[in-house]
Amino acid sequence: MDQLAIGVDLGGTSIKCALVSRQTGLIHQASRDTEAARGPDVVLDNMAGLIKLMMERAEGQVLGAGVGSPGIINWDRTTVSDPPNLPGWKTVHLGDALSARIGTPLRVLVENDANVAGLGSAHYGAGRPYDSFIMVTLGTGVGGAIIYQNRIFRGATGGAGEIGHMTIDYEGPVDNHDIPGASEAYLGQRFLSAHAARMARQSPASSLNETILQRGDLEPHLIYEAAVQGDETAREVLQWAGHKLGVLLGSAVNLLDIRKMVVGGGLSAAGDFIFDAARTTIRQFVTHGLREGIEIIQEPRGNEVGVLGAAHLVFERVDDAAEAVGD
Amino acid sequence: MDQLAIGVDLGGTSIKCALVSRQTGLIHQASRDTEAARGPDVVLDNMAGLIKLMMERAEGQVLGAGVGSPGIINWDRTTVSDPPNLPGWKTVHLGDALSARIGTPLRVLVENDANVAGLGSAHYGAGRPYDSFIMVTLGTGVGGAIIYQNRIFRGATGGAGEIGHMTIDYEGPVDNHDIPGASEAYLGQRFLSAHAARMARQSPASSLNETILQRGDLEPHLIYEAAVQGDETAREVLQWAGHKLGVLLGSAVNLLDIRKMVVGGGLSAAGDFIFDAARTTIRQFVTHGLREGIEIIQEPRGNEVGVLGAAHLVFERVDDAAEAVGD
């Protein structure tokens, strides 16, 4: 029999919500402004409103809701603490807060947003062929998740996968956490845009200079579009980024012996302009015995893997409960 | 009731073997030359001889033998392929090869040598207080193992923990696998000795210069001894090494959220001369949310953790079998 769950992607600017079928994936979707600045009560009201909407549309019992969230998640997946970009939260027990607002007890599980994206990719996205893979999300920051034997590898306290803060040069430029040579200090949006602007200044013929004048900034999709149009400087920037990505993933492969990599997030749209360089570089940074079978692929489902993975937290928990009673 | 197993540490120069009690640890130990150059048949004869000796000394049933080995281990832990420093091996099924020589069927499990050291530390050594930790072995090379929830984290194919090949500087000096900035290219014995010699040449007053003249080389224990005697250059060398170790472990903590580190191998004898710098550095390379509770400690049991961990492979397998039949 099919199973239904609700997936929620709690972001600093918007909340995305979906009704998900275990067998067929997305059934309904909706999203709205987070209204983060109005504090946790309003944000929780907004989440509860979307969840209620999905429950009304469900033809059958909803087993619960999974939430992908920024911030620190406890081991039991019940609370969120100090989510960045969501002021005033401290620690919130999501099951209690949402059940009270919906007016009926709801099973709620919460997990780090990068981790649910990995789980969504594992069960509904590009990660489906692999039992184990490393998920990288190239967005404002560089997020990561380790999917091991179809589960999230959580580490000792639930905080594993902080690939964006791994260093590739101990004397390199610092990221937002002042970590020298952190991969985010190359691949994070702000850092990559700044690098592209520097490269453009040295190449007056590049169309990127015109783009900077028009747009005031070089968002990654603008670099990608210039690369597609044949701009050499834009292509060099993306190769440079791919090289850094390959170095980073090479280190991760050495530590984990997980040789499949799924890359999502805005910058992943640049596809082979980045991945070709990453694929060449990674082989150079992996020990001989682990070089066979390395693959770096794109996650084309974008933000959808977030809500799908969040819903899958619920399916997983139902399986575990069934197994525990010998079902 | 107590359980008995045999642990074997198969090295390029010597084979170490021990009879191990699950409750009390080491009962008997023996070792002998590997005679690696004489090929696999002689090496297997030598292993079988030591195992037989231990079986004769056992007061009670021996449940099997675990072997820590260099080379590539298959997922089932039955075969070793192409172990470095052991010429002519190709792929050997250790259970068949040893049972035939001993004259009775023996349960044999084989695992990567760095991994069994980690497992030994987890159950009999400095790692005992921790469910999860990263084991680093600073010897000729830099070995690593991930102990997660008291088990070896093996990755997708059994090759996880190659921490010595993780890069800390993508433009740094290369290791034996031509990987730029690999941690082994700083912390491996040959590389560290060369660095110490360079530092000594710049410091004519350092006692290391005299040591080089007398010994022709600067093995890590000689650097450590000079540091204990107050030699400033030797202390700087060890601080330099500790800094690199801290960078490396910081990256690993970000990826794994495992914040306990146990360091063994020859160089670990230098203790706080290395660890103090590592402890200061690691905090700088770990994302804010994972900085609490970081510990770097020494494994004082030395090579013993190898044979102990190898024997523990057998105890673990017995537990799993008992669990599978609902015992």
Side-chain angles (χ1 to χ4, degrees):
Chain A
M1 206 190 75
D2 197 14
Q3 296 179 339
L4 298 176
I6 291 167
V8 181
D9 180 359
L10 172 59
T13 54
S14 74
I15 302 169
K16 297 178 190 68
C17 190
L19 179 66
V20 177
S21 148
R22 184 158 197 174
Q23 283 174 14
T24 60
L26 283 177
I27 299 175
H28 291 296
Q29 283 195 78
S31 70
R32 57 160 301 153
D33 284 355
T34 307
E35 302 186 290
R38 297 179 65 191
D41 279 331
V42 171
V43 175
L44 290 162
D45 287 347
N46 292 341
M47 288 174 74
L50 286 170
I51 290 171
K52 258 177 129 164
L53 191 69
M54 293 298 141
M55 290 174 81
E56 286 160 16
R57 296 205 178 167
E59 296 174 358
Q61 191 204 350
V62 172
L63 298 169
V67 179
S69 171
I72 296 165
I73 313 300
N74 67 341
W75 187 258
D76 292 338
R77 292 178 164 156
T78 53
T79 65
V80 179
S81 299
D82 304 316
N85 309 321
L86 295 172
W89 273 54
K90 296 175 184 162
T91 293
V92 172
H93 187 289
L94 278 188
D96 291 351
L98 292 172
S99 293
R101 283 168 172 83
I102 293 163
T104 177
L106 182 71
R107 180 206 312 257
V108 177
L109 294 166
V110 59
E111 177 56 270
N112 173 281
D113 45 11
N115 282 345
V116 297
L119 195 65
S121 180
H123 292 281
Y124 302 95
R128 275 210 288 194
Y130 313 127
D131 287 346
S132 303
F133 62 93
I134 301 164
M135 179 87 190
V136 185
T137 306
L138 299 174
T140 311
V142 176
I146 302 165
I147 301 297
Y148 184 60
Q149 297 174 346
N150 292 310
R151 296 275 181 141
I152 298 164
F153 176 87
R154 303 183 73 202
T157 72
E162 290 279 4
I163 199 168
H165 300 292
M166 290 176 73
T167 189
I168 59 171
D169 176 4
Y170 63 83
E171 291 181 323
V174 300
D175 68 358
N176 293 334
H177 288 195
D178 281 330
I179 298 176
S183 64
E184 197 162 294
Y186 305 88
L187 296 166
Q189 181 180 318
R190 181 168 67 83
F191 299 94
L192 185 66
S193 295
H195 177 75
R198 279 192 300 273
M199 294 281 286
R201 277 196 295 276
Q202 292 165 24
S203 316
S206 167
S207 69
L208 294 177
N209 292 294
E210 181 67 21
T211 309
I212 295 171
L213 282 176
Q214 286 175 3
R215 308 286 292 252
D217 196 1
L218 273 179
E219 285 183 27
H221 73 96
L222 299 170
I223 305 171
Y224 166 59
E225 283 156 23
V228 172
Q229 297 296 320
D231 188 274
E232 275 305 318
T233 305
R235 291 184 177 194
E236 278 172 35
V237 169
L238 295 175
Q239 278 167 20
W240 177 90
H243 174 255
K244 304 301 170 285
L245 180 63
V247 173
L248 170 70
L249 293 176
S251 267
V253 169
N254 285 321
L255 187 57
L256 298 172
D257 181 19
I258 294 178
R259 310 185 201 178
K260 311 299 181 187
M261 267 70 56
V262 177
V263 185
L267 187 57
S268 71
D272 290 344
F273 285 109
I274 286 186
F275 294 164
D276 282 348
R279 290 175 187 128
T280 305
T281 303
I282 192 171
R283 288 183 60 81
Q284 201 188 341
F285 284 86
V286 169
T287 183
H288 294 161
L290 302 179
R291 283 183 194 174
E292 290 295 314
I294 290 176
E295 289 183 57
I296 303 178
I297 64 169
Q298 188 182 345
E299 174 52 76
R301 295 208 68 169
N303 290 326
E304 282 180 11
V305 290
V307 287
L308 288 163
H312 196 80
L313 292 171
V314 177
F315 300 138
E316 218 179 63
R317 182 61 62 93
V318 169
D319 289 349
D320 290 346
E323 199 172 299
V325 300
D327 193 358
Chain B
M1 205 188 77
D2 198 13
Q3 296 178 339
L4 298 176
I6 290 166
V8 182
D9 180 358
L10 172 59
T13 53
S14 74
I15 302 169
K16 298 178 190 69
C17 190
L19 179 66
V20 177
S21 147
R22 184 158 197 173
Q23 283 174 15
T24 60
L26 284 176
I27 299 174
H28 292 296
Q29 283 194 81
S31 69
R32 56 160 300 154
D33 284 354
T34 307
E35 302 186 292
R38 296 180 65 192
D41 279 330
V42 172
V43 175
L44 290 162
D45 287 346
N46 292 341
M47 286 173 75
L50 286 171
I51 290 171
K52 259 176 130 164
L53 192 69
M54 293 298 141
M55 289 174 82
E56 285 159 16
R57 297 206 179 165
E59 295 172 2
Q61 191 204 350
V62 172
L63 298 169
V67 180
S69 171
I72 296 165
I73 314 299
N74 67 343
W75 187 258
D76 292 338
R77 291 177 164 158
T78 53
T79 66
V80 179
S81 299
D82 303 316
N85 309 321
L86 294 173
W89 274 54
K90 296 177 184 161
T91 293
V92 172
H93 187 288
L94 278 188
D96 291 351
L98 292 172
S99 293
R101 283 168 172 82
I102 293 163
T104 177
L106 182 71
R107 181 206 310 257
V108 177
L109 295 165
V110 58
E111 178 56 271
N112 172 282
D113 46 10
N115 282 345
V116 296
L119 195 65
S121 180
H123 293 280
Y124 302 94
R128 276 210 288 193
Y130 312 127
D131 287 345
S132 303
F133 62 93
I134 301 164
M135 178 88 190
V136 184
T137 307
L138 299 174
T140 312
V142 175
I146 302 165
I147 301 296
Y148 184 60
Q149 296 175 348
N150 292 310
R151 296 275 180 140
I152 298 164
F153 176 87
R154 303 183 73 203
T157 73
E162 290 280 4
I163 199 167
H165 300 292
M166 289 176 74
T167 189
I168 59 171
D169 176 4
Y170 63 84
E171 292 181 323
V174 300
D175 68 359
N176 292 336
H177 287 196
D178 280 330
I179 298 175
S183 65
E184 196 162 293
Y186 305 88
L187 297 167
Q189 181 178 316
R190 180 168 67 85
F191 298 96
L192 186 66
S193 295
H195 177 74
R198 279 192 299 273
M199 294 280 286
R201 278 196 295 276
Q202 292 166 23
S203 314
S206 168
S207 69
L208 294 177
N209 292 295
E210 181 66 22
T211 309
I212 295 171
L213 282 176
Q214 286 175 2
R215 308 287 290 255
D217 196 2
L218 273 178
E219 285 183 27
H221 73 96
L222 299 171
I223 305 171
Y224 165 60
E225 283 157 23
V228 171
Q229 297 297 320
D231 188 275
E232 276 305 317
T233 304
R235 291 184 177 194
E236 278 172 34
V237 168
L238 295 174
Q239 278 167 19
W240 178 91
H243 173 254
K244 305 301 171 282
L245 180 63
V247 173
L248 170 70
L249 293 177
S251 267
V253 169
N254 285 321
L255 186 57
L256 298 172
D257 181 19
I258 294 178
R259 311 185 201 178
K260 311 301 182 187
M261 267 71 57
V262 177
V263 185
L267 186 56
S268 71
D272 290 345
F273 285 110
I274 286 186
F275 295 164
D276 282 348
R279 290 175 186 127
T280 305
T281 304
I282 192 170
R283 288 183 59 81
Q284 202 188 340
F285 283 86
V286 168
T287 183
H288 294 159
L290 303 179
R291 283 183 194 173
E292 291 295 314
I294 290 175
E295 288 184 57
I296 302 177
I297 63 168
Q298 188 182 346
E299 174 52 76
R301 295 208 69 169
N303 291 327
E304 282 180 11
V305 291
V307 287
L308 288 163
H312 196 80
L313 292 171
V314 177
F315 301 139
E316 220 179 59
R317 182 62 61 94
V318 169
D319 289 349
D320 289 348
E323 200 172 298
V325 299
D327 192 1

